[in-house]
Amino acid sequence: MSPFTGSAARTPSWEHLRVDLTDGVATVTLARPEKLNALTFGAYADLRDLLAELSRERSVRAVVLAGEGRGFCSGGDVDEIIGATLGMDTAQLLDFNRMTGQVVRAVRECPFPVIAAVQGVAAGAGAVLALAADFRVADPTARFAFLFTRVGLSGGDMGAAYLLPRVVGLGHATRLLMLGDPVRAPEAERIGLISELTEEGQADETARQLAHRLATGPALAYAQTKALLTAELDMPLAASVELDASTQALLMTGDDYAEFHAAFTEKRPPKWSGR
C-alpha cells in the first residue's frame, strides 16, 4: 500500500476496535467479548480502513490482532449480519462480500507482519482473519472452524479456498472447508495451521513478544519477504527467481544491508533502520 496520503486526517478513534500503538507495535483488539467478538458491518469496515491507515505510517512495524475475553472471533454476527443480508438485493450482497474480501487483502498486502493471537473460538470469518495473518500464535483452548457450509454457503469465503490449501495442503483444506468441523489446537498445530502453540492464557503475551522482535528488526526486509510470499504463490519458478533477484538487488542498496556488514565487522548487534 502506498505511504502517500490525501488531505484526510488520521482517524483519532475507532468505534468497533481498540487500537494501541506502542514502540512500533499496533495491537488491534476486537472488543465485543459478550458476543465472542462477533463481527458487524462496522467492524469489517473499520478493520479494512485501519489497516490502510497503518500501512501509511512508517512508525508501525508489526500488528497484533487479538480478541478480548475468552474467544478470538466467532465470525459474523448472526443477528446483525446474517439477518440483515436476507433482506439485501444482489448488488448490496456483492458490496458486502467484496468488503469482507478487502479486509483479507488488507491483512495480506500491508507492509508489516500481522500476528493473530488466538484463544478460544476462531470461527467463520474469525478463522479466515487468523488464516490471513502471517503468524498464528494460539493457546491450547484455541479451536478453528470454517463454518460457511454449515449456514448453506460456499466454504470458499473471504479467500479461504485460496489461502487454506497453501497453509495446510489441499486434503486438509478440503475437509475443513467442506465439513466445517472444528479443529482444536493440537491438530491445528500438527497440520500447520498454528505457527506457535503457547501455554494456556499466554497467546497474547507471546504474540506481543514476537511483534516486538519483528518491530525491532529489518522492517524493509520483512516487508519485501511478505510481499514475495504473497506474490509468488501463483508464479512459475522462472518468474519467481527473477523477482527474487530484482528484490535482492534493490535491498542490497539499502542502509540495513550496509549496517549488517558494519555491525559484523565491529562485532556488535546491528541497529536496523528499516531502510
Side-chain angles (χ1 to χ4, degrees), residues 28-45:
V28 180
T29 306
L30 305 173
R32 295 182 77 204
E34 73 284 358
K35 291 287 191 82
L36 291 175
N37 303 312
L39 298 168
T40 62
F41 294 113
Y44 278 116

PDB file of all heavy atoms in Angstrom, residues 28-45:
ATOM      1  N   VAL A  28      -4.348  -4.465  17.826  1.00  0.00           N
ATOM      2  CA  VAL A  28      -5.725  -4.223  17.389  1.00  0.00           C
ATOM      3  C   VAL A  28      -6.590  -5.296  18.038  1.00  0.00           C
ATOM      4  O   VAL A  28      -6.431  -6.492  17.767  1.00  0.00           O
ATOM      5  CB  VAL A  28      -5.839  -4.289  15.856  1.00  0.00           C
ATOM      6  CG1 VAL A  28      -7.274  -4.040  15.411  1.00  0.00           C
ATOM      7  CG2 VAL A  28      -4.884  -3.286  15.206  1.00  0.00           C
ATOM      8  N   THR A  29      -7.506  -4.870  18.893  1.00  0.00           N
ATOM      9  CA  THR A  29      -8.316  -5.809  19.667  1.00  0.00           C
ATOM     10  C   THR A  29      -9.770  -5.721  19.258  1.00  0.00           C
ATOM     11  O   THR A  29     -10.368  -4.636  19.282  1.00  0.00           O
ATOM     12  CB  THR A  29      -8.174  -5.528  21.172  1.00  0.00           C
ATOM     13  OG1 THR A  29      -6.784  -5.543  21.531  1.00  0.00           O
ATOM     14  CG2 THR A  29      -8.924  -6.575  21.984  1.00  0.00           C
ATOM     15  N   LEU A  30     -10.333  -6.851  18.881  1.00  0.00           N
ATOM     16  CA  LEU A  30     -11.778  -6.958  18.679  1.00  0.00           C
ATOM     17  C   LEU A  30     -12.420  -6.950  20.054  1.00  0.00           C
ATOM     18  O   LEU A  30     -12.092  -7.786  20.899  1.00  0.00           O
ATOM     19  CB  LEU A  30     -12.112  -8.243  17.924  1.00  0.00           C
ATOM     20  CG  LEU A  30     -11.393  -8.446  16.582  1.00  0.00           C
ATOM     21  CD1 LEU A  30     -11.686  -9.835  16.026  1.00  0.00           C
ATOM     22  CD2 LEU A  30     -11.799  -7.376  15.588  1.00  0.00           C
ATOM     23  N   ALA A  31     -13.328  -6.013  20.298  1.00  0.00           N
ATOM     24  CA  ALA A  31     -13.755  -5.748  21.666  1.00  0.00           C
ATOM     25  C   ALA A  31     -15.263  -5.902  21.859  1.00  0.00           C
ATOM     26  O   ALA A  31     -15.949  -4.977  22.297  1.00  0.00           O
ATOM     27  CB  ALA A  31     -13.295  -4.357  22.094  1.00  0.00           C
ATOM     28  N   ARG A  32     -15.785  -7.082  21.535  1.00  0.00           N
ATOM     29  CA  ARG A  32     -17.175  -7.417  21.861  1.00  0.00           C
ATOM     30  C   ARG A  32     -17.174  -8.765  22.604  1.00  0.00           C
ATOM     31  O   ARG A  32     -17.708  -9.769  22.125  1.00  0.00           O
ATOM     32  CB  ARG A  32     -18.034  -7.543  20.601  1.00  0.00           C
ATOM     33  CG  ARG A  32     -18.222  -6.271  19.814  1.00  0.00           C
ATOM     34  CD  ARG A  32     -19.145  -6.534  18.618  1.00  0.00           C
ATOM     35  NE  ARG A  32     -20.537  -6.611  19.032  1.00  0.00           N
ATOM     36  CZ  ARG A  32     -21.486  -7.274  18.345  1.00  0.00           C
ATOM     37  NH1 ARG A  32     -21.173  -7.951  17.255  1.00  0.00           N
ATOM     38  NH2 ARG A  32     -22.729  -7.268  18.769  1.00  0.00           N
ATOM     39  N   PRO A  33     -16.548  -8.815  23.769  1.00  0.00           N
ATOM     40  CA  PRO A  33     -16.392 -10.111  24.444  1.00  0.00           C
ATOM     41  C   PRO A  33     -17.703 -10.803  24.760  1.00  0.00           C
ATOM     42  O   PRO A  33     -17.761 -12.032  24.798  1.00  0.00           O
ATOM     43  CB  PRO A  33     -15.619  -9.749  25.719  1.00  0.00           C
ATOM     44  CG  PRO A  33     -15.892  -8.299  25.935  1.00  0.00           C
ATOM     45  CD  PRO A  33     -16.003  -7.706  24.567  1.00  0.00           C
ATOM     46  N   GLU A  34     -18.762 -10.009  24.978  1.00  0.00           N
ATOM     47  CA  GLU A  34     -20.063 -10.615  25.292  1.00  0.00           C
ATOM     48  C   GLU A  34     -20.637 -11.363  24.102  1.00  0.00           C
ATOM     49  O   GLU A  34     -21.532 -12.207  24.256  1.00  0.00           O
ATOM     50  CB  GLU A  34     -21.045  -9.533  25.759  1.00  0.00           C
ATOM     51  CG  GLU A  34     -21.572  -8.600  24.678  1.00  0.00           C
ATOM     52  CD  GLU A  34     -20.580  -7.537  24.216  1.00  0.00           C
ATOM     53  OE1 GLU A  34     -19.461  -7.501  24.771  1.00  0.00           O
ATOM     54  OE2 GLU A  34     -20.924  -6.751  23.319  1.00  0.00           O
ATOM     55  N   LYS A  35     -20.149 -11.086  22.892  1.00  0.00           N
ATOM     56  CA  LYS A  35     -20.573 -11.776  21.671  1.00  0.00           C
ATOM     57  C   LYS A  35     -19.432 -12.587  21.063  1.00  0.00           C
ATOM     58  O   LYS A  35     -19.445 -12.907  19.875  1.00  0.00           O
ATOM     59  CB  LYS A  35     -21.072 -10.763  20.637  1.00  0.00           C
ATOM     60  CG  LYS A  35     -22.392 -10.065  20.994  1.00  0.00           C
ATOM     61  CD  LYS A  35     -23.566 -11.027  20.831  1.00  0.00           C
ATOM     62  CE  LYS A  35     -24.906 -10.311  20.913  1.00  0.00           C
ATOM     63  NZ  LYS A  35     -25.297  -9.685  19.651  1.00  0.00           N
ATOM     64  N   LEU A  36     -18.440 -12.913  21.889  1.00  0.00           N
ATOM     65  CA  LEU A  36     -17.244 -13.611  21.405  1.00  0.00           C
ATOM     66  C   LEU A  36     -16.637 -12.866  20.214  1.00  0.00           C
ATOM     67  O   LEU A  36     -16.139 -13.468  19.268  1.00  0.00           O
ATOM     68  CB  LEU A  36     -17.556 -15.074  21.040  1.00  0.00           C
ATOM     69  CG  LEU A  36     -17.890 -15.994  22.210  1.00  0.00           C
ATOM     70  CD1 LEU A  36     -18.304 -17.371  21.711  1.00  0.00           C
ATOM     71  CD2 LEU A  36     -16.690 -16.119  23.150  1.00  0.00           C
ATOM     72  N   ASN A  37     -16.697 -11.522  20.298  1.00  0.00           N
ATOM     73  CA  ASN A  37     -16.093 -10.642  19.297  1.00  0.00           C
ATOM     74  C   ASN A  37     -16.642 -10.877  17.891  1.00  0.00           C
ATOM     75  O   ASN A  37     -15.915 -10.782  16.898  1.00  0.00           O
ATOM     76  CB  ASN A  37     -14.571 -10.776  19.330  1.00  0.00           C
ATOM     77  CG  ASN A  37     -14.017 -10.469  20.704  1.00  0.00           C
ATOM     78  OD1 ASN A  37     -14.373  -9.472  21.315  1.00  0.00           O
ATOM     79  ND2 ASN A  37     -13.188 -11.361  21.214  1.00  0.00           N
ATOM     80  N   ALA A  38     -17.931 -11.187  17.833  1.00  0.00           N
ATOM     81  CA  ALA A  38     -18.581 -11.342  16.524  1.00  0.00           C
ATOM     82  C   ALA A  38     -18.477 -10.046  15.731  1.00  0.00           C
ATOM     83  O   ALA A  38     -18.577  -8.947  16.284  1.00  0.00           O
ATOM     84  CB  ALA A  38     -20.046 -11.734  16.717  1.00  0.00           C
ATOM     85  N   LEU A  39     -18.287 -10.177  14.430  1.00  0.00           N
ATOM     86  CA  LEU A  39     -18.076  -9.030  13.559  1.00  0.00           C
ATOM     87  C   LEU A  39     -19.394  -8.447  13.078  1.00  0.00           C
ATOM     88  O   LEU A  39     -20.338  -9.173  12.770  1.00  0.00           O
ATOM     89  CB  LEU A  39     -17.235  -9.444  12.351  1.00  0.00           C
ATOM     90  CG  LEU A  39     -15.826  -9.939  12.672  1.00  0.00           C
ATOM     91  CD1 LEU A  39     -15.207 -10.595  11.455  1.00  0.00           C
ATOM     92  CD2 LEU A  39     -14.951  -8.801  13.170  1.00  0.00           C
ATOM     93  N   THR A  40     -19.424  -7.133  12.999  1.00  0.00           N
ATOM     94  CA  THR A  40     -20.550  -6.413  12.419  1.00  0.00           C
ATOM     95  C   THR A  40     -20.091  -5.767  11.111  1.00  0.00           C
ATOM     96  O   THR A  40     -18.905  -5.793  10.770  1.00  0.00           O
ATOM     97  CB  THR A  40     -21.037  -5.318  13.377  1.00  0.00           C
ATOM     98  OG1 THR A  40     -19.965  -4.377  13.576  1.00  0.00           O
ATOM     99  CG2 THR A  40     -21.455  -5.911  14.720  1.00  0.00           C
ATOM    100  N   PHE A  41     -21.028  -5.162  10.376  1.00  0.00           N
ATOM    101  CA  PHE A  41     -20.641  -4.439   9.166  1.00  0.00           C
ATOM    102  C   PHE A  41     -19.590  -3.380   9.500  1.00  0.00           C
ATOM    103  O   PHE A  41     -18.600  -3.208   8.777  1.00  0.00           O
ATOM    104  CB  PHE A  41     -21.869  -3.764   8.536  1.00  0.00           C
ATOM    105  CG  PHE A  41     -22.900  -4.721   8.013  1.00  0.00           C
ATOM    106  CD1 PHE A  41     -24.152  -4.802   8.603  1.00  0.00           C
ATOM    107  CD2 PHE A  41     -22.623  -5.550   6.932  1.00  0.00           C
ATOM    108  CE1 PHE A  41     -25.111  -5.681   8.125  1.00  0.00           C
ATOM    109  CE2 PHE A  41     -23.571  -6.438   6.448  1.00  0.00           C
ATOM    110  CZ  PHE A  41     -24.822  -6.508   7.043  1.00  0.00           C
ATOM    111  N   GLY A  42     -19.805  -2.671  10.615  1.00  0.00           N
ATOM    112  CA  GLY A  42     -18.867  -1.624  11.003  1.00  0.00           C
ATOM    113  C   GLY A  42     -17.498  -2.162  11.373  1.00  0.00           C
ATOM    114  O   GLY A  42     -16.474  -1.525  11.082  1.00  0.00           O
ATOM    115  N   ALA A  43     -17.452  -3.330  12.024  1.00  0.00           N
ATOM    116  CA  ALA A  43     -16.162  -3.911  12.407  1.00  0.00           C
ATOM    117  C   ALA A  43     -15.351  -4.300  11.171  1.00  0.00           C
ATOM    118  O   ALA A  43     -14.135  -4.069  11.116  1.00  0.00           O
ATOM    119  CB  ALA A  43     -16.381  -5.124  13.308  1.00  0.00           C
ATOM    120  N   TYR A  44     -16.006  -4.901  10.186  1.00  0.00           N
ATOM    121  CA  TYR A  44     -15.306  -5.210   8.934  1.00  0.00           C
ATOM    122  C   TYR A  44     -14.728  -3.940   8.322  1.00  0.00           C
ATOM    123  O   TYR A  44     -13.564  -3.893   7.909  1.00  0.00           O
ATOM    124  CB  TYR A  44     -16.276  -5.834   7.921  1.00  0.00           C
ATOM    125  CG  TYR A  44     -16.547  -7.307   8.074  1.00  0.00           C
ATOM    126  CD1 TYR A  44     -17.820  -7.770   8.383  1.00  0.00           C
ATOM    127  CD2 TYR A  44     -15.536  -8.247   7.854  1.00  0.00           C
ATOM    128  CE1 TYR A  44     -18.091  -9.129   8.484  1.00  0.00           C
ATOM    129  CE2 TYR A  44     -15.806  -9.608   7.963  1.00  0.00           C
ATOM    130  CZ  TYR A  44     -17.076 -10.044   8.274  1.00  0.00           C
ATOM    131  OH  TYR A  44     -17.336 -11.385   8.376  1.00  0.00           O
ATOM    132  N   ALA A  45     -15.561  -2.902   8.221  1.00  0.00           N
ATOM    133  CA  ALA A  45     -15.120  -1.662   7.578  1.00  0.00           C
ATOM    134  C   ALA A  45     -13.988  -1.008   8.363  1.00  0.00           C
ATOM    135  O   ALA A  45     -13.029  -0.481   7.779  1.00  0.00           O
ATOM    136  CB  ALA A  45     -16.299  -0.706   7.432  1.00  0.00           C
TER     137      ALA A  45
END
